[in-house]
Structure formats: C-alpha cells, structure tokens
Amino acid sequence: KLATVPDVLGYSLDEAKRRIEQSGLKVGSIRKSDSNEAKDSVLDQSPSYGETVPEDSYVNLVVSSGKPVENSV
C-alpha cells in the first residue's frame, strides 16, 4: 500500500506528527535547527510533500530550536 506524504511545513511538531501518522506514515528523525520561526515549528521535511511512498515509511523532520539565527554583521 502507498501513502502520500502530507505537507507539514510550518506546523508545530505535535500537529506534524499527527498529520504524518494519519497518512499511514511514521515520524523518523527530528533534527533541531536555529531559526527565527516559532520553537518546534517544522522547517523542513524529507521526503517532500506530495511524494508517494510505501505505507509505514518514515518522514524525517527539521524543527526550529526556537533560538534565533544570529545575524552576522
């Protein structure tokens, strides 16, 4: 059986997990990255939104650490 990867960019980690699981997929690795986005909001996902993958595949996420990116002057 195949599943379509949901779009979770910009969602909170909890909401992203719910959407991924509702699509028949599993949450894979979760990496934190400094970002100006809200803490734990999803910045990147792999595989990308709309891709068709086998059910129970993993979707890896990059989420905001909540630590703003330092602007180097």
Side-chain angles (χ1 to χ4, degrees):
K1 248 180 110 177
L2 295 176
T4 302
V5 179
D7 180 10
V8 296
L9 294 179
Y11 285 96
S12 69
L13 182 55
D14 287 345
E15 179 66 13
K17 283 180 179 173
R18 202 173 62 75
R19 292 172 73 99
I20 289 167
E21 286 161 5
Q22 278 182 334
S23 300
L25 301 170
K26 295 179 176 167
V27 177
S29 66
I30 298 170
R31 199 164 55 78
K32 291 200 180 286
S33 176
D34 290 352
S35 164
N36 296 326
E37 298 297 318
K39 185 177 190 316
D40 285 341
S41 66
V42 177
L43 306 174
D44 197 15
Q45 65 180 80
S46 166
S48 300
Y49 160 60
E51 283 189 45
T52 304
V53 296
E55 214 169 52
D56 287 333
S57 293
Y58 288 95
V59 180
N60 299 313
L61 302 174
V62 178
V63 300
S64 172
S65 66
K67 200 172 138 208
V69 177
E70 304 265 332
N71 289 331
S72 49
V73 180

